[in-house]
Amino acid sequence: MELVRDLLADYTLRNVMLGAVILGCVSGVLGCFAILRRQGLMGDALSHAALPGVCLAYLLTGQKAPVVLMAGAAVACWVAMWLVLLLLRRTRIDSGAALGTVLTIFFGAGVVLLTLLQKRNDANQAGLDRYLFGQAAALVQEQVVTMAVLGGSALLVVLLLYKEFQLIAFDPEFARTLGLPARFLETLLTGLLVVAIVIGLNTVGIVLMSALLVGPAVTARQWTHSLGRMIGYAGVFGALAGVFGALVSVRETRMPTGPVIILCIAVMVILSVLFGAAQGVVWERVRRRRHAPEPPPATGEPCPVPPATGGRP
Amino acid sequence: MHAGVKPASQTDVLPVQVRDLTVAYDDRPALWDVDLDVPPGVLMAIIGPNGAGKSTLIRAILGLVPLAAGNVSLFGRPGQEQRGRVGYMPQRNSVDWDFPVSALDVVLMGLYRQVGWIRRPGRRERAQAMQCLERVGLADYAHRQISQLSGGQQQRVFLARALAQNADLYLMDEPFAGVDATTERAIIEILKALRAEGKTVVVVHHDLGTAPEYFDYVALLNVRLIAAGPMETTFTPENLQRAYQGRIAFLGG
């Protein structure tokens, strides 16, 4: 087992593997709630919004410590989230347009800031552009520890509030009639999404982070009709994709990690959408063919209005 | 069956008391200055044309929409203090039926108040939920994913979830929408049984033909409250005429 020996001996490889497992697992789990609440695009908007946060954090503090940059990213994500919610509540802009607007404005501002920083003749800024596509090989132990603490806390919250999150995702109005603080729980879920994004910045990068949120969740949904299992599978699929992508990127090619992880996820998604046991297109078609001769059940609805004796206007 | 409207001194026992209620969406009133008393132990229909604010009235009673004016009290107190005594059956199309949960999972949601924060439903809650599924005739479908149920079965899952809440007041938004005649009869039998247990049931209803047969109390609504009271004295051609504003001539037969 060359890999195991390398894992124990090779500092870089160990960090990369651990980081990828933590990230894949956390984003897989939280991605489930995002797609079930039909907020798959929210992750994309929030992760793009992280770029100006990273740049501003560096600009204000002059530091590149991961905790500082992560905090900057988290604040920017939070601002973006409130902007999206504000647009949705106060204007007639629909959610797709609101997310698209906020995403592009923040990302545009981030790219401008990044370019300005790179032109400043400041050697220290080198490496900020890694946040665009991620570079798992650059992970240091301090970052992995931060990722583990943040990700572990997020998973713990999901474990404790599983029942509440399930209800909020399925039927938020019913949750409110039970007296659950629906808006708080929804904000909390989005906040946890921000956590997943922030810990993915170094590894997968801003641009492709949303695939790690959506991909494993969609894959898992194809294999089961149970939310608990879906969350478990998504965590495992996310971790697998993370590990595979990070390994390829570190050992073989020195490619940016994000794109490799995303290609790996793409394979999982395609295979599962076709052959998944629960919702896969192929099995669905087989099942339909088997049940084909059966006519649909009659739905005889009573006439809603009794016969009127006069003419209708 | 029921004692009719109670005298004013006993208003504290009224399951629902609505005063001067106005609700507006985008400056357009959905409900205008509605006053409504629902006496205990009635099976009441809310009837009116499309856009009359029937669902809005139920949602306002539940505290789901902001009130532009007026107030709602349940059993003599503000609604948020009475969550445990109120059961809700929303419209079927208000949720995504592809959601990865089973029929039993959905019914268990009706017990989440009883279970409390963080704890998971246990054996006792599962048994309770199964009883409710049995009552609506879906015990055999408990472990089916909800998208694999027919429209009528989905409707009955929602009814079972409301039953699991074991409430004193039930608010139901079109429980008969999209169900076949057999399911409709099964549902109305359960609602009548609830009334026999002394519960109060308020139902948004579309079908003028079945209303007098199913319900003993009625509120006719068209943004304003047209009339409310016992079925025999309230469900009159004149009141229907006013509620539907000439869109039906009058009730035939």
Side-chain angles (χ1 to χ4, degrees):
Chain A
M1 294 301 290
E2 186 200 353
L3 185 63
V4 175
R5 206 178 56 230
D6 282 2
L7 262 184
L8 294 175
D10 186 335
Y11 170 84
T12 307
L13 193 60
R14 194 175 59 218
N15 282 339
V16 167
M17 293 282 280
L18 278 174
V21 167
I22 296 165
L23 169 63
C25 189
V26 173
S27 53
V29 168
L30 289 165
C32 288
F33 289 105
I35 66 159
L36 289 174
R37 294 170 67 215
R38 310 202 168 262
Q39 287 203 333
L41 268 179
M42 187 67 142
D44 206 24
L46 293 184
S47 62
H48 280 75
L51 184 59
V54 168
C55 294
L56 280 176
Y58 173 72
L59 207 59
L60 292 176
T61 64
Q63 290 181 359
K64 275 202 302 186
V67 180
V68 173
L69 299 185
M70 279 177 169
V75 170
C77 287
W78 205 251
V79 172
M81 183 188 83
W82 282 113
L83 267 180
V84 171
L85 292 180
L86 198 72
L87 284 177
L88 289 181
R89 284 178 195 153
R90 294 287 165 83
T91 71
R92 287 163 187 271
I93 301 173
D94 80 332
S95 69
L99 288 168
T101 310
V102 171
L103 181 161
T104 44
I105 290 175
F106 272 73
F107 191 61
V111 171
V112 169
L113 278 174
L114 188 63
T115 316
L116 287 178
L117 280 175
Q118 285 172 332
K119 285 195 177 153
R120 270 207 324 180
N121 245 350
D122 167 8
N124 191 31
Q125 60 78 28
L128 281 183
D129 56 340
R130 264 194 224 125
Y131 283 89
L132 280 177
F133 292 106
Q135 190 79 70
L139 277 182
V140 295
Q141 192 162 353
E142 186 197 350
Q143 281 166 312
V144 175
V145 171
T146 315
M147 289 168 77
V149 171
L150 286 174
S153 318
L155 290 183
L156 184 68
V157 173
V158 171
L159 191 70
L160 289 177
L161 295 180
Y162 169 77
K163 164 170 116 288
E164 285 77 11
F165 285 158
Q166 174 213 45
L167 181 53
I168 283 292
F170 176 63
D171 194 348
E173 293 219 314
F174 187 76
R176 282 172 67 192
T177 69
L178 293 183
L180 283 179
R183 196 171 270 191
F184 166 75
L185 288 168
E186 284 173 345
T187 312
L188 183 60
L189 263 180
T190 312
L192 294 177
L193 205 60
V194 171
V195 171
I197 289 165
V198 162
I199 67 177
L201 291 181
N202 306 96
T203 318
V204 186
I206 285 158
V207 177
L208 295 171
M209 181 58 212
S210 73
L212 202 47
L213 289 166
V214 175
V218 169
T219 306
R221 182 66 186 89
Q222 308 308 313
W223 294 97
T224 175
H225 285 311
S226 142
L227 178 61
R229 259 177 245 143
M230 174 179 168
I231 290 174
Y233 293 173
V236 172
F237 286 140
L240 281 177
V243 167
F244 186 80
L247 272 183
V248 170
S249 115
V250 170
R251 282 168 72 98
E252 312 298 338
T253 53
R254 299 263 146 195
M255 278 195 287
T257 321
V260 181
I261 291 183
I262 269 50
L263 286 180
C264 180
I265 289 179
V267 173
M268 295 194 316
V269 171
I270 292 169
L271 287 178
S272 302
V273 166
L274 285 175
F275 300 110
Q279 283 197 325
V281 176
V282 172
W283 300 136
E284 205 121 287
R285 192 149 296 173
V286 170
R287 244 170 277 156
R288 209 168 298 155
R289 186 157 299 176
R290 241 176 242 166
H291 297 293
E294 222 172 291
T299 49
E301 254 181 281
C303 172
V305 179
T309 48
R312 289 173 189 225
Chain B
M1 206 179 297
H2 62 87
V5 181
K6 303 268 168 156
S9 62
Q10 286 181 30
T11 49
D12 57 331
V13 299
L14 283 179
V16 181
Q17 191 177 44
V18 175
R19 284 291 169 271
D20 309 321
L21 176 69
T22 295
V23 176
Y25 296 126
D26 298 331
D27 298 333
R28 198 173 42 81
L31 290 174
W32 187 261
D33 200 19
V34 170
D35 290 289
L36 176 67
D37 289 339
V38 181
V42 296
L43 181 45
M44 173 174 133
I46 300 176
I47 286 179
N50 287 333
K54 304 184 292 291
S55 296
T56 305
L57 178 56
I58 283 211
R59 292 159 55 79
I61 293 171
L62 285 160
L64 290 175
V65 291
L67 312 184
N71 62 73
V72 172
S73 63
L74 306 178
F75 300 103
R77 304 174 66 183
Q80 59 268 32
E81 294 173 23
Q82 302 283 21
R83 302 277 191 209
R85 298 181 71 182
V86 181
Y88 176 42
M89 177 174 171
Q91 280 185 26
R92 180 161 61 93
N93 60 17
S94 66
V95 301
D96 169 20
W97 289 93
D98 269 329
F99 201 89
V101 284
S102 68
L104 184 64
D105 290 332
V106 174
V107 178
L108 280 168
M109 291 174 190
L111 295 163
Y112 279 5
R113 258 190 84 85
Q114 174 186 326
V115 176
W117 284 85
I118 295 174
R119 274 192 56 224
R120 301 284 169 82
R123 190 173 297 169
R124 193 166 66 102
E125 283 85 13
R126 290 180 163 274
Q128 271 173 285
M130 275 309 292
Q131 267 176 10
C132 296
L133 274 172
E134 246 159 62
R135 200 164 166 192
V136 301
L138 285 182
D140 294 339
Y141 297 83
H143 299 288
R144 284 266 185 105
Q145 198 256 332
I146 52 176
S147 69
Q148 296 163 355
L149 302 172
S150 72
Q153 289 167 338
Q154 291 172 347
Q155 202 74 280
R156 280 188 278 162
V157 168
F158 263 3
L159 178 60
R161 181 175 72 173
L163 292 175
Q165 291 185 273
N166 194 20
D168 296 320
L169 167 68
Y170 286 96
L171 298 163
M172 305 187 175
D173 203 344
E174 305 209 19
F176 304 115
V179 306
D180 58 39
T182 323
T183 307
E184 177 158 338
R185 270 195 297 280
I187 293 178
I188 193 64
E189 286 314 314
I190 291 170
L191 300 193
K192 285 180 173 170
L194 285 174
R195 177 181 58 191
E197 292 166 26
K199 321 250 178 187
T200 307
V201 185
V202 177
V203 175
V204 171
H205 193 58
H206 254 316
D207 184 357
L208 295 180
T210 55
E213 176 196 342
Y214 288 174
F215 301 96
D216 58 10
Y217 210 82
V218 65
L220 290 165
L221 193 69
N222 191 349
V223 183
R224 298 162 191 274
L225 184 74
I226 306 298
M231 184 60 81
E232 315 85 71
T233 54
T234 312
F235 199 70
T236 60
E238 298 77 47
N239 282 337
L240 283 169
Q241 183 85 340
R242 283 167 61 212
Y244 284 81
Q245 289 173 341
R247 265 180 276 172
I248 54 166
F250 61 84
L251 203 59

